[in-house]
Amino acid sequence: EHATMEFVGSFDNWGEAPIVMTAMKMKHLWCAEMIFDADCEGKFRNDSSWSANWGGDSFPYSTVKSGNNIQVKAGTYQVVFNDLDGNYYFFAK
């Protein structure tokens, strides 16, 4: 289990102002509202560290854990991330 989960990327110079996610009631599920003014790329990481990080090959969701950067489209999203299987969902708002 992780104490914190963040989303970082080219929008914040890879960690200068990470988006901190909130733990959901079910362990290993995290959520956050995220706003991106421009297309960017990013990854999920744990505990302000790169010891474990998650990316993916598709947007707005992925069911395959990958080390690649997620190519995020500009917009406002409710994001849900599962740190066990690496699945993520960017729901447009």
Side-chain angles (χ1 to χ4, degrees), residues 4 7 15 34 36-37 46 54 58 60 63 70 75 86-88 91:
T4 62
F7 191 75
M34 299 185 188
F36 302 99
D37 295 330
N46 71 313
W54 300 263
S58 63
T63 57
I70 302 165
N87 290 338
Y88 58 83
F91 297 104

Side-chain angles (χ1 to χ4, degrees), residues 17 59 76:
F59 182 83
T76 301

Side-chain angles (χ1 to χ4, degrees), residues 70-88:
I70 302 165
Q71 302 300 309
V72 179
K73 301 290 184 195
T76 301
Y77 303 94
Q78 182 66 35
V79 179
V80 177
F81 172 65
N82 181 326
D83 67 37
L84 286 179
D85 60 16
N87 290 338
Y88 58 83

Side-chain angles (χ1 to χ4, degrees), residues 4-91:
T4 62
M5 189 62 61
E6 302 171 336
F7 191 75
V8 300
S10 58
F11 63 92
D12 79 330
N13 202 27
W14 295 97
E16 289 180 5
I19 298 170
V20 178
M21 302 187 77
T22 301
M24 298 175 73
K25 289 183 181 182
M26 294 180 64
K27 292 181 181 180
H28 303 287
L29 291 179
W30 303 85
C31 67
E33 180 176 282
M34 299 185 188
I35 300 170
F36 302 99
D37 295 330
D39 292 357
C40 61
E41 56 184 15
K43 284 185 151 184
F44 299 94
R45 72 175 185 184
N46 71 313
D47 307 327
S48 298
S49 165
W50 289 103
S51 62
N53 63 86
W54 300 263
D57 292 325
S58 63
F59 182 83
Y61 62 88
S62 178
T63 57
V64 179
K65 183 178 174 181
S66 170
N68 295 329
N69 296 338
I70 302 165
Q71 302 300 309
V72 179
K73 301 290 184 195
T76 301
Y77 303 94
Q78 182 66 35
V79 179
V80 177
F81 172 65
N82 181 326
D83 67 37
L84 286 179
D85 60 16
N87 290 338
Y88 58 83
Y89 306 88
F90 285 72
F91 297 104

